[in-house]
């Protein structure tokens, strides 16, 4: 009979079974235990994220949309929101420069009506519920860990001014943006055309968004973000999707995409965060726009988001932030990609349309009618708007202004090319 010796250490039951059977913890047994533990963690996380639904809708792109009672959404897992009374409408709405229904410079070629999400073809959620894209096991397993699922990597905000060299090419993230700074900003708005950029590697992404920033670019950065993105790693496909993001500590521990953690409170029953947008713009073809407005309610202090002409989606409670409790100190609009530098070469992951800004309308991607919200809750044209890109031979940005589009810029590019090896 083989004597089995136990040391007095705290062991999980699974490892104790390995010891009892084999006298030592074999690699295969430990691997089985590790896989079993991961599966349990994933299951627990899915149970936290996927709330009980009153109705389920199958989207043609494979998504499952759950209609969840508004009071059961993930936001209310936050201990500070336990007794929160949902604000069903903002106290104030910014007064703007541009009528959302105003014809653009290319009225016959630009579609300004609401862009539907694919799941709308098979149903809608009723009042009193919110649509939530169901998280699947494969979604979580693609992440580096259960804890990091739905989170961006550290240091992914473009730093326009000269900074320390190691911050310029931040973990392979590259940008082409316009920005304003040096004032107090209480919101931002823009209309941007939607594309479906090609992605080289599954761990790369391409997005176009608005950033509202407060604090420094160190460990205390506050950020609220919204736009469209293509992210195979996050969603498991190459569809263009509406997204939001927030963080109060420079992407370290707080915040997440969409509703993948407690924070953002959704009130809208029509639009699902993370769901596919369709149709998208075509090269030398019809252009499809979305409008995004983020602003601070001067009465309650929450940051609200509106999508399109009238879809007020919900709000980020003010307590989530430190610097953004009062105002933003910088606003950025533009594109971002991940360049994983595979094989020592620049990625050919596209930003925007995948074409450089000088190609212009119906070929390049754009932001138009760019505005900021001032302390009087009015939308105003930005002053002293600058531009920034790490490598203009890969992705570039060009600004302009006219009566129809106000302040605008074209941006983007193909990534790897003869001038961007």
């Amino acid at each position: 009979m083989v004597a089995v010796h136990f040391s007095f250490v705290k062991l999980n039951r699974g490892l104790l079974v390995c010891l009892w059977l084999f006298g030592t913890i074999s690699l295969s047994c430990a691997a089985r235990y590790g896989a079993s533990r991961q599966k349990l963690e994933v299951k627990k996380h899915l149970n936290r994220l996927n709330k009980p639904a009153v109705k389920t809708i199958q989207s043609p792109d494979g998504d499952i949309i759950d209609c969840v009672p508004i009071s059961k959404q993930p936001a209310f897992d936050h201990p500070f929101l336990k007794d929160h009374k949902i604000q069903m409408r903002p106290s104030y709405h910014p007064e703007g420069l541009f009528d959302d229904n105003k014809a653009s410079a290319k009225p016959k070629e630009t579609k300004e009506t609401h862009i539907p999400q694919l799941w709308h073809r098979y149903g809608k959620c009723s009042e009193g519920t919110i649509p939530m894209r169901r998280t699947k096991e494969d979604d979580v397993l693609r992440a580096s860990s259960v804890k990091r699922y739905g989170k961006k990597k550290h240091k992914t905000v473009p730093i326009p001014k000269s900074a320390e060299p190691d911050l310029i090419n931040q973990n392979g993230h590259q940008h082409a943006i316009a920005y304003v700074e040096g004032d107090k900003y209480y919101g931002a708005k823009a209309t941007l055309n939607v594309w479906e950029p090609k992605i080289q590697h599954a761990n790369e992404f391409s997005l176009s968004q608005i950033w509202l920033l407060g604090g420094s670019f160190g460990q205390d950065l506050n950020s609220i973000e919204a736009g469209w993105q293509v992210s195979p790693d996050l969603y498991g496909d190459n569809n263009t999707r509406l997204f939001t993001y927030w963080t109060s500590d420079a992407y370290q521990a707080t915040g997440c995409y969409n509703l993948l953690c407690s924070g953002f409170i959704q009130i809208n029953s029509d639009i699902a965060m993370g769901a596919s947008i369709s149709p998208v713009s075509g090269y030398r073809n019809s252009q499809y726009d979305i409008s995004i407005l983020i602003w601070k309610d001067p009465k309650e202090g929450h940051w609200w988001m509106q999508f399109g002409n009238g879809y007020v989606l919900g709000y980020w409670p003010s307590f989530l932030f430190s610097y953004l409790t009062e105002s933003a100190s910088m606003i950025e609009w533009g594109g971002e990609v991940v360049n994983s530098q595979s094989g020592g070469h620049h990625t050919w992951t596209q930003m925007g349309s995948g074409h450089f800004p000088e190609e212009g309308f119906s070929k390049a991607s754009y932001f138009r009618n760019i505005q900021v919200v001032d302390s009087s809750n009015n939308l105003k044209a930005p002053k002293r708007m600058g531009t920034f890109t790490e490598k203009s031979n890969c992705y570039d940005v060009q600004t302009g202004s006219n009566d129809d589009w106000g302040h605008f810029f074209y941006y983007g590019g193909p990534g790897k090319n003869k001038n961007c090896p």
Side-chain angles (χ1 to χ4, degrees):
M1 183 175 179
V2 179
V4 179
H5 301 282
F6 295 94
S7 57
F8 289 95
V9 293
K10 188 176 181 181
L11 292 169
N12 185 282
R13 185 180 175 185
L15 290 182
L16 280 173
V17 170
C18 281
L19 275 170
W20 185 80
L21 288 174
F22 303 110
T24 61
I25 302 173
S26 69
L27 290 176
S28 61
C29 195
R32 287 198 300 272
Y33 161 70
S36 176
R37 183 177 179 182
Q38 182 192 40
K39 194 168 185 178
L40 184 62
E41 285 181 1
V42 170
K43 187 177 180 180
K44 285 181 178 178
H45 199 60
L46 291 174
N47 287 337
R48 282 194 296 269
L49 292 177
N50 296 324
K51 305 300 183 182
V54 297
K55 180 181 178 181
T56 294
I57 300 167
Q58 182 74 50
S59 176
D61 61 356
D63 280 359
I64 297 172
I65 303 297
D66 291 321
C67 301
V68 174
I70 191 170
S71 61
K72 303 296 183 184
Q73 63 183 293
F76 298 109
D77 292 340
H78 198 293
F80 288 3
L81 290 171
K82 188 176 180 181
D83 300 315
H84 180 80
K85 184 178 179 182
I86 302 172
Q87 192 177 345
M88 293 306 296
R89 60 181 60 85
S91 302
Y92 296 91
H93 194 282
E95 298 296 325
L97 288 171
F98 298 93
D99 182 347
D100 284 323
N101 296 315
K102 181 179 177 180
S104 73
K106 304 275 186 178
K108 291 183 180 179
E109 298 178 70
T110 305
K111 311 297 184 183
E112 297 190 44
T113 54
H114 165 57
I115 297 177
Q117 294 185 306
L118 281 175
W119 65 275
H120 289 166
R121 297 179 188 176
Y122 291 95
K124 294 286 183 74
C125 290
S126 59
E127 288 296 320
T129 68
I130 64 162
M132 287 186 60
R133 179 184 181 270
R134 186 183 298 180
T135 302
K136 300 172 184 176
E137 183 178 355
D138 287 346
D139 294 332
V140 183
L141 290 175
R142 282 192 302 272
S144 58
S145 69
V146 173
K147 189 177 180 182
R148 293 303 304 171
Y149 172 64
K151 295 180 180 294
K152 283 190 176 185
K153 293 181 179 178
H154 303 347
K155 297 179 181 177
T156 63
V157 171
I159 306 175
K161 293 211 166 182
S162 58
E164 297 175 24
D166 64 329
L167 291 180
I168 294 299
N169 192 16
Q170 308 165 65
N171 297 324
H173 289 249
Q174 290 181 240
H175 310 83
I177 64 162
Y179 68 96
V180 291
E181 62 179 340
D183 205 347
K184 291 184 176 180
Y185 307 101
Y186 297 85
K189 185 178 183 180
T191 297
L192 56 158
N193 57 347
V194 182
W195 295 84
E196 191 176 88
K198 298 293 184 284
I199 311 297
Q200 182 175 358
H201 299 291
N203 64 340
E204 298 178 336
F205 65 66
S206 181
L207 59 76
S208 297
Q209 68 172 48
I210 300 173
W211 290 261
L212 285 88
L213 304 170
S216 71
F217 286 95
Q219 306 300 308
D220 61 353
L221 184 73
N222 289 197
S223 183
I224 292 174
E225 307 166 24
W228 59 260
Q229 68 180 162
V230 176
S231 178
D233 206 34
L234 184 60
Y235 302 106
D237 59 29
N238 293 288
N239 290 355
T240 302
R241 295 170 178 274
L242 174 71
F243 81 95
T244 63
Y245 200 94
W246 70 273
T247 181
S248 61
D249 63 356
Y251 309 97
Q252 295 178 91
T254 63
C256 61
Y257 281 108
N258 307 323
L259 302 179
L260 296 177
C261 64
S262 55
F264 185 84
I265 298 173
Q266 184 161 337
I267 62 167
N268 186 280
S269 61
D270 294 311
I271 304 298
M273 301 288 199
S276 299
I277 299 172
S278 178
V280 298
S281 302
Y283 186 75
R284 292 181 175 173
N285 211 323
S286 295
Q287 301 299 293
Y288 292 90
D289 284 338
I290 60 172
S291 292
I292 290 175
L293 166 63
I294 300 171
W295 80 101
K296 188 174 181 61
D297 185 328
K299 182 178 179 183
E300 300 292 338
H302 306 318
W303 288 92
W304 285 82
M305 177 182 170
Q306 178 175 302
F307 174 71
N309 292 339
Y311 293 92
V312 177
L313 298 190
Y315 58 95
W316 291 269
S318 58
F319 78 82
L320 294 173
F321 306 101
S322 50
Y323 292 96
L324 286 177
T325 50
E326 183 186 348
S327 62
S329 56
M330 178 181 283
I331 296 172
E332 299 173 347
W333 301 262
E336 176 183 354
V337 301
V338 174
N339 171 28
S340 59
Q341 202 85 12
S342 176
H345 298 288
H346 195 286
T347 183
W348 50 254
T349 286
Q350 299 174 332
M351 181 188 293
S353 69
H355 293 264
F356 283 115
E358 55 263 30
E359 292 196 41
F361 186 81
S362 85
K363 299 170 187 175
S365 45
Y366 60 75
F367 278 69
R368 63 180 177 88
N369 299 132
I370 297 168
Q371 300 164 80
V372 297
V373 181
D374 66 12
S375 58
S376 300
N377 207 39
N378 292 317
L379 281 156
K380 297 285 183 66
K383 295 178 181 177
R384 299 178 298 277
M385 191 168 72
T387 61
F388 171 78
T389 182
E390 290 93 346
K391 293 184 178 179
S392 59
N393 289 337
C394 309
Y395 313 104
D396 205 3
V397 55
Q398 293 182 0
T399 60
S401 64
N402 60 37
D403 291 340
D404 290 302
W405 279 21
H407 283 68
F408 67 88
F409 63 88
Y410 287 99
Y411 70 100
K416 183 181 178 182
N417 64 77
K418 65 180 182 180
N419 297 315
C420 174

